[in-house]
Amino acid sequence: MSLAFCENAEQQFNLVSQALFSALQSNEVATLRISGEKSHFVRFNQGKVRQCGHVGDASVSIKLVRSKRTVDINLPISIIDQNSAEANKAAVLGALADLRVLADAVPEDPFVIFPENLGSSHNEMKGQTLSTELHIDRLIEPLSKLDATGYYAGGPSFRGLANSAGQRHWFSSESFFVDYSLYLPNEKSVKLYYSGNDWDDAKFKKQVDDGARQLKVLEAKPRSVPPGRYRTYLAPAAVSDLVSMFSWHGVSEGSLRRGESSLRALRDKSKTLSSQFGLRENFEKIHVPRFNSYGEVATNQIELISHGKLVNTLISRRTAKEYGIESNGASPYEGIRAPEVLGGKISEKEILKLLGTGLYLSNLHYLNWSDVQGGRVTGMTRYACFWVENGNIVAPIENLRWDESLYHYFGEGLVGITDFQELIPDTSTYGERALGGTLVPGMLVDGFTFTL
Amino acid sequence: MQVNLPDLLKTVHLPKCDWMGLRYMSEHKRYFTVRDERPENVGSDLSQGLMIEVLVNGQFGYAATQEMTKQGLQDAAEHAFNYAKTASQWALFKSTTAQRPTVQGSYAAPYVKPFDSLSVAEIYDVLREACKVLKASDKIIKTATSTQMILGHSEYVTTYGTHIQQKFNQMMTHMEAIAREGTIVQRRTDNGYVSRMYQSGLEGLNADQMKARAAQIALQALELLQAKDCPTTKTNVVIAPDQMMLQIHESIGHPLELDRILGDERNYAGFSFVRPHDFGKLQYGSKILNVTFDPTYPGESASYNFDDSGNKATKEYLIKDGVLVRALGSLDSQMRSKVPGVANSRACSWNRPPIDRMANINVEPGDKTFEQIIGDVEDGIYMETNRSWSIDDYRNKFQFGCEYAREIKNGKLGAALRNPNYRGTTNQFWNNLVALGNGSTNLVFGAPNCGKGEPNQSIRVGHASPVCSFKDLEVFGGAV
């Protein structure tokens, strides 16, 4: 597989954007975005293939501003067939006609955002993913003697943006991930991710073998730990889940202004987080498009929480216009696109010793706000989680429900942070394959509350 | 769609395959969001494409494409063929054509008023007017209303002669108000996040009804600012249908999905505490609990005549008199497990393969009026409208939060309570069901974004429930 698919897509995008922008009237401006992928999906259970297939998908969306009215449309586009240029142009011009009718029927948008030429970019990440269609054995054979469940997703994908002010961005990459778990007959399991741009049989096999060895420690009879407050180590994947909550009723400026954010108390300084805790958006280490749907390019790093204090929020152009403040290149949703939690001082060797007696949690599950205003989150433990006594792993645990405030686990309860970070890939494939991930360390927390 | 699907399928040439199926799916969505009486999002979204499925050596392979031409389909068919062939030596189970029945038929969702019976400006005005009613006080700091109108179409043909056409028109509305006084902030919605989701025409956007509900939403958002926090205790809890829908979804719907029970979902959505031998034996809930899979419920969000693998859909009891009797399992899963299932092989879009899903999962009504249910509770709490949900990967230990609650004292509703939450375990909870409302308390809602599958799929499901009364439930309030 190659990026030729992305090059075709870029050509089609150039043609339709040219057609769209030349058709605009004097009272109109527009932004055109494109997104698409060719994906191979192989789903497995018990180390055997459950479902497998291929998906080719691409769509364009047009944001039209017509006499200060803003309307959007999203429609499929053909990028495989070289003869589809005329059909694509016709589809886009037909959509433009529909948008004009829609725009004329709605009021002016008081926070209308006009496209600007804020600079262009072009970014390609080449890779060599596994052609599972022809070489499925290279994925399945290493898993076939294990109770392995999960899926492979890989192939080229692209995102593009152009606007009538002359701005143009392009991002394409060839990438893959295997998101999987290995199970024991007692139903205890470990969660693993193998991801990147270049498939390596040896690396994958080594990870599978290492994972199988990790299962040994889960063979012991699980311990039922009663509800209570325990000293708890949260491994990087668990911290990644906690950090994801900052993108949902968290660091969004619009959310804070409208009373929907869990960080109100941090903003008004009635509460603080631990001085050890730092959160930032870091596009240098996490490879996702830096441009947002307005065409703005975020700076390489944006400090959000520094030494426990909220130093920046994510501000989109629309929020900026509504509240008379400066945008910082955030997406309209104002979620963190490239989250990084800064590392600390605890070495890997010290984790169990410093934990002493308590819980070691590899992963969490199904997080939700139990009280947004109080910053309180609930969820479950999942996968390889252990009861530890005096720095020694004693037994895996029966899963526990927990309910705790971020002001505790990132605040007064935070004992320390590991000196290493892990990139937990974003393996979401709702609608399209996500890119990037979360770069996070592990954390040691005192008095984490378990409820059921 | 311009192409003739049966003719298009006939153009596909593959070396040797036992069966082919071709599914077209399209959705045309129009959406409007108004915030604080100003336009927030107005637009439309079109999605359409083909998925071809091929059976070779007992293994299915699939491929999805937007190129709805002979060449586009031929290319996709070759991908599907290659996958089926190479994967057949690693197959989890051997598939047969019996998993894809030969049927013909159609479905058209009910509606009264077509979506174009109001102009865009008139639709926008309904939403703006409702927003205006939501802004009942300066203490209300955010108001929002929205609607989505979706025209969906699916067509399915196979080389064995199946031909199904189904049309789905969906209508969704949403309203919310956020009230703030000092550091107290409370959000009240129109029965939860986009819960008013139905197979309907534009009759679902009734200006007078929306304004009446908006007034109630605003009133209760303000009432919650002055309310006491929900106490921490174990008590009787009466739950309204707009919270029951999430309770049914998470603690009955998901654990009964047969692909979860077979382990397919262990890496993502999770496993299930239910095992194949539990069917016909497990006392899932108290004897008054009856739960159905009902794709025939008129207007409920996931009604249809055939699932996406061509299985004819019928109403079936999942739980009868409290006993687990049937799983939410497609023909694929039924064949693997030998457990009775339903027609629930569903795909969220043309670009995802069908998997075991919920559709309409309903608690059947009992025999009590709302007044009788409340009247039977000496001391307890009445809760409405989901705002938080979480459950473990075996679908056992759950915790839910609601928007609004009232005390129940001596058989009467009392003062409002804010931040009501409860937690429990699935079997114990359903076995503590002590009373069921009758048809007069029964309401239908929908969940727009049920997530599952690898690759991930988000699908719409429906849930109907009467008001339900439970004993001995652990409840608690907001953060201290």
Side-chain angles (χ1 to χ4, degrees):
Chain A
M1 200 182 301
S2 75
L3 286 169
F5 165 76
C6 296
E7 287 163 10
N8 287 343
E10 193 173 5
Q11 280 176 14
Q12 293 294 326
F13 182 57
N14 291 342
L15 289 170
V16 293
S17 57
Q18 200 172 21
L20 173 70
F21 300 142
S22 356
L24 294 176
Q25 297 169 354
S26 59
N27 61 340
E28 293 174 338
V29 289
T31 302
L32 181 74
R33 288 185 295 137
I34 188 168
S35 175
E37 66 191 38
K38 254 183 164 178
S39 289
H40 289 268
F41 295 119
V42 179
R43 186 177 202 196
F44 47 88
N45 181 15
Q46 298 171 33
K48 302 285 190 297
V49 175
R50 169 64 188 90
Q51 279 177 317
C52 51
H54 178 267
V55 173
D57 193 354
S59 64
V60 290
S61 60
I62 306 167
K63 184 180 283 294
L64 176 72
V65 179
R66 176 177 164 89
S67 301
K68 295 186 181 173
R69 276 107 173 142
T70 309
V71 285
D72 293 88
I73 195 166
N74 188 73
L75 64 154
I77 185 171
S78 172
I79 51 171
I80 308 291
D81 185 350
Q82 290 297 314
N83 302 316
S84 56
E86 290 309 311
N88 285 336
K89 281 187 208 169
V92 164
L93 295 179
L96 177 62
D98 290 346
L99 283 175
R100 285 175 175 148
V101 174
L102 197 57
D104 289 345
V106 295
E108 285 187 8
D109 178 359
F111 311 122
V112 60
I113 303 297
F114 293 102
E116 295 175 42
N117 189 343
L118 300 163
S120 297
S121 67
H122 197 275
N123 197 335
E124 284 180 11
M125 294 186 67
K126 296 196 162 92
Q128 192 66 49
T129 58
L130 181 63
S131 174
T132 43
E133 182 177 333
L134 301 174
H135 302 290
I136 206 165
D137 52 318
R138 289 165 62 189
L139 171 71
I140 298 298
E141 198 280 331
L143 301 167
S144 61
K145 292 186 174 62
L146 299 164
D147 184 2
T149 176
Y151 76 131
Y152 168 93
S157 64
F158 56 84
R159 314 276 194 271
L161 180 145
N163 66 29
S164 53
Q167 185 174 32
R168 203 173 169 289
H169 293 294
W170 187 259
F171 179 96
S172 62
S173 76
E174 176 112 13
S175 62
F176 73 89
F177 65 77
V178 190
D179 175 345
Y180 66 114
S181 340
L182 304 178
Y183 272 78
L184 286 170
N186 69 2
E187 296 183 7
K188 289 293 164 192
S189 56
V190 293
K191 175 81 166 180
L192 298 158
Y193 302 99
Y194 174 51
S195 64
N197 302 100
D198 294 295
W199 178 270
D200 184 322
D201 287 330
K203 278 187 185 168
F204 179 56
K205 188 172 184 316
K206 182 176 184 311
Q207 189 192 64
V208 173
D209 291 345
D210 289 348
R213 274 192 290 279
Q214 288 171 35
L215 283 172
K216 293 281 178 197
V217 72
L218 289 160
E219 286 174 347
K221 187 182 173 192
R223 173 177 289 216
S224 179
V225 178
R229 301 191 82 188
Y230 298 103
R231 194 170 170 92
T232 300
Y233 172 70
L234 298 149
V239 173
S240 169
D241 278 344
L242 294 174
V243 168
S244 71
M245 299 302 282
F246 282 118
S247 290
W248 182 25
H249 300 313
V251 294
S252 152
E253 179 65 28
S255 185
L256 273 156
R257 299 265 177 166
R258 294 188 283 273
E260 297 170 296
S261 171
S262 56
L263 300 185
R264 176 195 51 78
L266 195 61
R267 166 86 144 228
D268 68 20
K269 299 185 172 59
S270 60
K271 285 187 178 174
T272 183
L273 299 180
S274 165
S275 59
Q276 299 178 75
F277 185 73
L279 171 69
R280 67 183 171 203
E281 189 151 57
N282 190 343
F283 291 97
E284 285 179 343
K285 292 183 178 174
I286 299 159
H287 299 295
V288 293
R290 275 173 58 203
F291 58 89
N292 63 18
S293 62
Y294 298 117
E296 293 172 295
V297 178
T299 56
N300 278 343
Q301 292 186 5
I302 300 172
E303 302 295 326
L304 297 168
I305 297 172
S306 180
H307 300 292
K309 293 189 172 64
L310 185 67
V311 291
N312 281 299
T313 57
L314 290 177
I315 308 169
S316 70
R317 284 187 76 191
R318 192 174 175 87
T319 295
K321 188 153 189 181
E322 181 170 357
Y323 299 106
I325 51 181
E326 287 290 314
S327 158
N328 57 11
S331 69
Y333 179 67
E334 297 178 340
I336 313 173
R337 290 180 286 156
E340 181 192 11
V341 173
L342 305 188
K345 294 179 179 169
I346 301 176
S347 70
E348 191 158 13
K349 284 181 185 168
E350 291 177 304
I351 292 170
L352 288 176
K353 185 179 151 203
L354 289 173
L355 173 58
T357 297
L359 288 156
Y360 181 109
L361 306 183
S362 69
N363 298 81
L364 303 176
H365 174 67
Y366 216 141
L367 278 61
N368 204 325
W369 295 107
S370 55
D371 181 2
V372 173
Q373 299 302 321
R376 219 175 72 199
V377 179
T378 188
M380 290 295 304
T381 63
R382 193 174 180 186
Y383 295 111
C385 298
F386 303 97
W387 176 251
V388 176
E389 282 181 4
N390 302 317
N392 296 306
I393 288 178
V394 174
I397 59 164
E398 301 286 1
N399 280 329
L400 286 163
R401 170 161 295 286
W402 50 271
D403 192 330
E404 188 56 88
S405 169
L406 69 90
Y407 292 104
H408 179 74
Y409 55 71
F410 291 147
E412 75 272 11
L414 182 59
V415 176
I417 299 174
T418 62
D419 61 4
F420 61 90
Q421 297 166 302
E422 288 181 18
L423 179 66
I424 310 299
D426 186 342
T427 59
S428 169
T429 45
Y430 286 106
E432 62 185 6
R433 274 189 290 129
L435 300 166
T438 307
L439 189 61
V440 275
M443 289 187 175
L444 186 60
V445 176
D446 218 10
F448 199 86
T449 305
F450 296 86
T451 57
L452 188 66
Chain B
M1 190 186 58
Q2 302 297 314
V3 298
N4 179 312
L5 217 58
D7 287 351
L8 188 60
L9 182 59
K10 284 176 194 158
T11 68
V12 174
H13 295 289
L14 294 175
K16 185 191 171 200
C17 72
D18 303 313
W19 174 96
M20 281 191 286
L22 181 60
R23 178 167 47 88
Y24 165 84
M25 286 180 91
S26 72
E27 275 203 354
H28 190 184
K29 181 194 299 179
R30 179 150 283 188
Y31 54 87
F32 302 83
T33 303
V34 179
R35 178 163 65 83
D36 300 327
E37 298 178 53
R38 294 186 284 248
E40 178 95 336
N41 287 305
V42 178
S44 63
D45 189 283
L46 174 65
S47 161
Q48 64 176 2
L50 298 170
M51 174 167 280
I52 186 161
E53 196 181 26
V54 172
L55 181 63
V56 181
N57 299 337
Q59 174 69 44
F60 286 108
Y62 68 81
T65 180
Q66 291 167 303
E67 317 292 331
M68 292 189 290
T69 59
K70 287 180 191 174
Q71 189 58 50
L73 182 60
Q74 179 65 30
D75 291 346
E78 288 169 15
H79 282 300
F81 177 83
N82 289 339
Y83 261 119
K85 192 175 164 195
T86 55
S88 61
Q89 64 175 313
W90 301 103
L92 177 61
F93 58 95
K94 193 169 176 62
S95 292
T96 72
T97 53
Q99 292 158 229
R100 301 292 183 269
T102 299
V103 289
Q104 293 83 37
S106 63
Y107 175 79
Y111 70 92
V112 179
K113 294 181 182 174
F115 288 150
D116 58 4
S117 60
L118 285 179
S119 69
V120 167
E122 287 170 323
I123 291 167
Y124 182 84
D125 271 352
V126 171
L127 298 174
R128 191 181 51 78
E129 285 295 315
C131 240
K132 200 181 217 174
V133 177
L134 286 168
K135 180 72 178 172
S137 157
D138 287 344
K139 290 177 183 169
I140 291 183
I141 58 169
K142 178 191 170 186
T143 62
T145 57
S146 64
T147 188
Q148 292 181 39
M149 289 158 275
I150 301 168
L151 286 172
H153 178 208
S154 75
E155 185 173 0
Y156 182 58
V157 296
T158 72
T159 48
Y160 277 39
T162 287
H163 194 174
I164 299 166
Q165 297 222 46
Q166 302 195 93
K167 290 185 176 175
F168 307 97
N169 34 279
Q170 296 262 351
M171 177 89 214
M172 306 176 204
T173 60
H174 181 70
M175 296 193 281
E176 66 177 73
I178 295 177
R180 179 168 65 194
E181 185 166 33
T183 59
I184 306 295
V185 179
Q186 289 290 308
R187 182 172 183 254
R188 191 75 175 109
T189 67
D190 194 15
N191 301 113
Y193 176 69
V194 198
S195 297
R196 290 187 164 268
M197 181 179 82
Y198 305 103
Q199 289 188 357
S200 148
L202 211 52
E203 65 274 15
L205 191 76
N206 182 305
D208 291 339
Q209 289 176 8
M210 284 185 74
K211 281 195 276 190
R213 295 204 305 274
Q216 172 86 344
I217 290 165
L219 194 69
Q220 291 186 339
L222 294 167
E223 183 185 12
L224 286 168
L225 293 177
Q226 308 302 323
K228 288 187 294 185
D229 218 61
C230 180
T232 299
T233 185
K234 188 178 266 194
T235 189
N236 303 300
V237 179
V238 177
I239 303 179
D242 59 1
Q243 164 58 24
M244 283 304 301
M245 63 169 281
L246 253 290
Q247 183 73 54
I248 296 164
H249 183 93
E250 303 288 11
S251 69
I252 292 180
H254 281 307
L256 300 198
E257 288 163 348
L258 205 38
D259 60 345
R260 291 182 71 120
I261 296 167
L262 289 164
D264 292 349
E265 282 283 337
R266 287 178 298 169
N267 183 59
Y268 182 54
F271 218 159
S272 174
F273 71 90
V274 174
R275 297 299 146 113
H277 59 74
D278 287 331
F279 291 91
K281 293 175 191 162
L282 179 67
Q283 190 71 39
Y284 205 94
S286 71
K287 288 186 176 174
I288 61 171
L289 179 66
N290 287 288
V291 180
T292 55
F293 167 85
D294 191 359
T296 70
Y297 200 111
E300 196 166 356
S301 185
S303 291
Y304 49 82
N305 273 348
F306 301 90
D307 72 11
D308 292 326
S309 295
N311 195 12
K312 179 87 176 84
T314 52
K315 177 177 179 177
E316 303 289 350
Y317 275 84
L318 304 172
I319 296 170
K320 180 77 173 156
D321 302 327
V323 177
L324 181 64
V325 292
R326 188 176 286 269
L328 288 169
S330 62
L331 291 175
D332 287 22
S333 298
Q334 290 176 49
M335 187 271 293
R336 291 164 66 192
S337 65
K338 313 299 180 206
V339 169
V342 296
N344 70 328
S345 178
R346 301 179 66 200
C348 68
S349 175
W350 61 272
N351 60 11
R352 294 289 182 266
I355 54 175
D356 291 1
R357 300 304 303 238
M358 282 179 247
N360 298 327
I361 311 298
N362 303 336
V363 168
E364 296 293 310
D367 58 1
K368 299 201 177 217
T369 64
F370 181 72
E371 291 73 22
Q372 285 171 327
I373 285 190
I374 298 296
D376 287 345
V377 178
E378 194 179 315
D379 187 66
I381 294 173
Y382 168 68
M383 294 191 193
E384 283 184 359
T385 319
N386 182 268
R387 79 169 191 188
S388 173
W389 61 100
S390 174
I391 190 164
D392 71 63
D393 58 323
Y394 280 72
R395 300 280 144 174
N396 224 349
K397 295 180 177 180
F398 60 76
Q399 178 170 317
F400 290 103
C402 291
E403 289 181 0
Y404 182 82
R406 302 269 298 268
E407 293 175 333
I408 308 173
K409 295 284 183 199
N410 302 316
K412 294 198 183 313
L413 287 175
L417 297 169
R418 70 173 171 239
N419 304 323
N421 296 276
Y422 65 91
R423 61 170 79 98
T425 54
T426 295
N427 272 170
Q428 187 177 33
F429 174 82
W430 287 108
N431 276 286
N432 284 347
L433 174 68
V434 292
L436 274 170
N438 62 20
S440 71
T441 73
N442 197 60
L443 292 173
V444 181
F445 295 106
N449 49 5
C450 174
K452 190 182 167 185
E454 293 171 318
N456 306 152
Q457 304 193 39
S458 178
I459 209 163
R460 302 182 197 105
V461 301
H463 299 297
S465 175
V467 171
C468 296
S469 183
F470 298 86
K471 66 178 182 183
D472 296 335
L473 193 53
E474 195 180 332
V475 302
F476 56 99
V480 178

